[in-house]
Structures are given as C-alpha cells and as structure tokens.
C-alpha cells in the first residue's frame, strides 16, 4: 500500500481535501440563501464573478508554475475562497473590486507563498482587508434589508449596479422609512455611540429589531446552522468556533454589565456582522489556524477578544477580517509553544 505525503490542510477524517472543501461550500448555502433573501440578488452575482475569476486565476498560476491545473481546480479551495469573498463584501460592490479582491487572494496571498498549504494568511480575509482599506466607501455601502425598503434588489437591478451599466443612485436602495444610510447595524451602533446616544436609543432605530440588526440575526443563524452541520460531519473541530463565540460572549457580557449605555449586548455581538461566518467558515481554515487542540482554543480565543476590542475601541465596526489576520500571524508561535504530547510521554519526564 502506497504511503502518500501531502501538504496541509490535514483533517482527521477519511475525506480528501476536495471533499472537505466541497462540504464547506455546501454548508455555506443556508447563509447564502439568507443573504439573498434579505439583501437581494447581488450576492449571487458576486458569487458568479468571484468563482469565475478565482478559478481562472488558479488555472493561470498553475499553468505558469508548470503544475497540474486539473488537480488544483478539483481540490475546491479556490471555490471556497471565492464564496467567502463574495458573501463578505456588500452585494452591490462594483465588479472590478470583486475581480481585484479575488486576484489578490489567489495570486498574491495563496500562490506567492507556495500554494495551498503554504499560505500564512487567510486569502479571503486578506482580500477583504485590501478592499476595505483601498475602497472604504464602497465597502460600507450595504443594501438595506428587504423589509425596510420598497426597492428590493432583483437580478436586473443587481446587474445594473454591479456592472455599472446605468446605475441608479445607491440612495434608491436605502431604508425608505427614515432615509438611513446603508451602513451595517454594527456601524450604525458605533456611530450612534460616538454621537452621544445610549445603546438603548440606538437600538430604537429602524435598522434594528430591538436586539440585533434586521436580517442579520437570521443570516448569522443560517451560518450557525451550516457550521453545526460541518461539526456533525467532522469537517471542522469544535475548538476554534467555541473559543471565538465564548470569548466574544464573555468580553461583551462583562462590558455590558459594567456600562450597558455605552456597550453592545452579547446578543448584538454574536448575531450581527460576520460573527458566525467567521467562527465556523473563516477562522477554522486548517492551513492558517493553529493545529493542536489547546492551540486551537487559544487561537479562537485570540480572535474573539480581538473582535470585541476592535469593535468597541477601534475604527472598524465588524473587525472579523482584522482579527483573523492578526491571529494568523500568531498561529506559528502558538504551534511552536503549544505542542501535543508525544506518544509514550509520562508526567515528570
């Protein structure tokens, strides 16, 4: 029987990398469906663009490296990267920004370091940060949830906006009740606090449902469902996801108890923005995360604490991408200092 040696990701299951990535993509479907329902068809258009660009870039780089294009495309890693970029950016982001993000993720972040198993940063989150820092206005223009606007984004409107054919003003897709900006609930909450409003006053806005942002709660619940399915199928392990959610809950709960007027509740932190997407689909990337059980717990805890700190005291309301990239930098040190005990180890040796 042949003994095969391959690069990471190594998952403790009989599934091969392509099957693991395939299941990750399938488990993203509930979250994608929720985003389409609440924020329109733009998400599907972004997915189409991201998948085409990412797979083409993967094939082109493998051709230049004189490696098998078929094996690279069949491992489905580029597909998952494309899906994560597409669901992370606003649905009406111009097409050229999606192209830039996908090319940066595949060519620079992934293959410049040697390809799958060698990259130290999560490609999708690195691409998101590049776009956010370079084009902050476009990256904060989220469509208003369906129930707050009379102008839901259909396929024609999405294509018109994304490909800038004859784009209407983005004001067309704002909340019709009070003309609220197209910021996310976390951004709205943070802005309100900076203007001297209390958390209770901020949560009275139409974009909220009293606890979390309208639409965002169900989007996060959908990604939670997909994450639980992955845990059931043993595609991922529980350590990172649990550590992220628990650390966010503890930090935000303690801050909320100290001063509820100036801090978001744990429910808002857990079910707004990209919390569940991060906990189950992004941070659990086996290439860029820590490897040992204790290391994964620490890795997840670092992400959770960073998300809370950046959301509360930093300038970026969601903070998921920055937290993941900072934790990626720590992963090699975590693996070096937290190593699993070798077989036959005895206490005192």
């Amino acid at each position: 029987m042949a003994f095969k040696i391959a690069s990471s990701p190594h998952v403790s299951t009989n599934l091969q990398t392509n099957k693991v990535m395939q299941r990750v993509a399938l488990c993203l479907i509930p979250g994608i469906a929720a985003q389409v329902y609440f924020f329109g068809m733009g998400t599907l258009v972004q997915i189409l663009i991201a998948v085409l660009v990412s797979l083409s870039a993967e094939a082109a780089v493998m051709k230049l490296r004189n490696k098998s294009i078929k094996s690279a495309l069949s491992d489905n890693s580029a597909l998952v990267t494309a899906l994560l970029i597409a669901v992370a950016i606003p649905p009406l982001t111009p097409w050229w920004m999606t192209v830039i993000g996908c090319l940066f993720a595949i060519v620079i972040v992934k293959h410049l370091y040697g390809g799958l198993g060698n990259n130290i940063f999560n490609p999708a989150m690195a691409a998101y940060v590049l776009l956010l820092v370079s084009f902050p206005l476009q990256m904060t223009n989220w469509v208003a949830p369906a129930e707050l606007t009379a102008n839901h984004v259909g396929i024609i409107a999405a294509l018109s906006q994304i490909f800038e054919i004859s784009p209407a003003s983005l004001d067309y897709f704002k909340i019709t009740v009070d003309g609220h900006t197209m910021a996310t609930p976390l951004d709205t909450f943070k802005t309100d606090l900076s203007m001297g409003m209390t958390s209770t006053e901020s949560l009275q806005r139409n974009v909220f449902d009293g606890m979390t942002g309208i639409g965002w709660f169900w989007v996060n619940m959908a990604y939670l469902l997909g994450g639980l399915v992955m845990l059931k199928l043993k595609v991922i392990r529980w350590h990172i996801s649990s550590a992220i959610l628990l650390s966010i809950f503890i930090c935000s709960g303690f801050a909320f108890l100290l001063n509820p007027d100036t801090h978001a509740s744990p429910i808002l932190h857990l079910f707004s923005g990209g919390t569940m997407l991060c906990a189950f689909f992004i941070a659990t990337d086996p290439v860029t995360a820590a490897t040992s059980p204790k290391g994964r717990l620490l890795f997840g805890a670092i992400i959770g604490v960073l998300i809370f700190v950046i959301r509360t005291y930093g300038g970026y309301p969601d903070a998921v991408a920055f937290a993941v990239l900072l934790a990626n930098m720590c992963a090699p040190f975590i693996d070096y200092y937290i190593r699993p005990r070798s077989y036959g180890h005895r206490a005192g040796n």
Side-chain angles (χ1 to χ4, degrees), residues 51-67:
V51 169
L52 289 176
V53 173
S54 297
L55 294 183
S56 299
E58 183 90 352
V61 173
M62 297 305 288
K63 177 69 174 179
L64 290 173
R65 297 178 62 190
N66 293 320
K67 294 184 179 292

Side-chain angles (χ1 to χ4, degrees), residues 38-39 145 148 184-186 203 206-220 267-268 271-273:
F38 286 105
F39 302 109
L148 293 180
T184 64
L186 286 170
L203 293 177
N206 292 321
V207 71
F208 295 103
D209 55 6
M211 290 190 301
T212 62
I214 291 179
W216 290 95
F217 174 82
W218 294 109
V219 169
N220 275 275
I267 298 299
L268 181 60
F271 293 98
S272 290

Side-chain angles (χ1 to χ4, degrees), residues 28-51:
L28 279 166
I29 291 177
I32 293 173
Q35 284 192 221
V36 171
Y37 177 81
F38 286 105
F39 302 109
M41 299 296 291
T43 299
L44 292 183
V45 179
Q46 298 293 353
I47 288 175
L48 179 61
I49 297 172
V51 169

Side-chain angles (χ1 to χ4, degrees), residues 25 55 76 143 160 201 240-241 249 264 269 280 296 327:
L55 294 183
N76 294 318
V143 176
S160 177
E201 292 171 338
I240 293 176
S241 303
F249 180 82
H269 275 287
F280 292 98
R296 286 193 290 267

Side-chain angles (χ1 to χ4, degrees), residues 119-142:
N119 52 288
I120 61 175
F121 295 109
N122 184 290
M125 291 300 94
Y128 179 89
V129 168
L130 171 73
L131 295 176
L132 181 61
V133 173
S134 302
F135 313 103
L137 179 61
Q138 292 89 337
M139 288 295 288
T140 53
N141 274 330
W142 274 85

Side-chain angles (χ1 to χ4, degrees), residues 143-144 146 148-154 157 171-174 176:
V143 176
L148 293 180
T149 176
N151 306 311
H152 193 52
V153 185
D171 291 344
Y172 186 71
F173 303 108
K174 286 183 179 180
T176 56

Side-chain angles (χ1 to χ4, degrees), residues 234-297:
K234 297 183 179 180
V235 174
I236 60 175
R237 296 185 179 182
W238 61 270
H239 306 78
I240 293 176
S241 303
S242 301
I244 290 174
L245 299 180
L246 184 60
S247 57
I248 291 177
F249 180 82
I250 292 174
C251 292
S252 60
F254 182 73
F256 187 71
L257 288 175
L258 285 178
N259 194 343
D261 288 335
T262 59
H263 290 88
S265 69
I267 298 299
L268 181 60
H269 275 287
L270 291 173
F271 293 98
S272 290
T275 303
M276 295 299 170
L277 179 65
C278 169
F280 292 98
F281 294 94
I282 296 173
T284 53
D285 173 23
V287 175
T288 56
T291 55
S292 66
K294 291 181 180 179
R296 286 193 290 267
L297 287 172

